[in-house]
Amino acid sequence: MEAKRRKDQWTIADDEKLAEIVIQFVQNGKTQLEAFEEAASVLNRTKQACGFRWNKTLRAQYGQMLGTVKKRPKQLMRSHLKLALTSFEELTEAYGQLELKYHELQTEHERLLKWLKQGAQFVQK
């Protein structure tokens, strides 16, 4: 005799899809609530049912993975911030060097103009 299966019973595939969606959303910096909304649409269930299934059954199973992906956006943000600050420092240094070179060239330009004027006056005499 075959056991009766409820129409709304969760399958392994449903659980895997729910977990995949939640982890993907969290990894991309979105909330679990947003993930439940998406999962509800994909699995043809309510977001409340998805949230309940996640918290009651799947969270323990996927908790470590979820913890890992929750940290990742912060780590990425830190690395991007560090890169931006490094880039800013490099740009500031490059700007300082360009400004120094500009002033050197400007001084050289003024010196050459003065020299040309003197040469022109000498030729005229």
Side-chain angles (χ1 to χ4, degrees), residues 5-69:
R5 183 173 177 259
R6 285 180 45 170
K7 228 171 42 174
D8 62 345
Q9 186 174 357
W10 286 82
T11 64
I12 293 172
D14 291 341
D15 285 347
E16 288 173 351
K17 190 65 180 171
L18 175 59
E20 176 188 327
I21 291 169
V22 170
I23 289 168
Q24 181 183 12
F25 269 63
V26 171
Q27 189 172 16
N28 292 330
K30 297 182 180 178
T31 66
Q32 289 181 26
L33 292 176
E34 290 172 304
F36 298 152
E37 287 180 27
E38 175 67 19
S41 173
V42 170
L43 299 171
N44 198 26
R45 296 178 182 268
T46 65
K47 63 183 177 182
Q48 293 83 357
C50 293
F52 183 79
R53 181 67 176 182
W54 172 258
N55 289 317
K56 184 75 174 165
T57 308
L58 301 176
R59 179 178 227 131
Q61 185 178 346
Y62 292 94
Q64 187 175 9
M65 187 183 299
L66 186 65
T68 302
V69 297

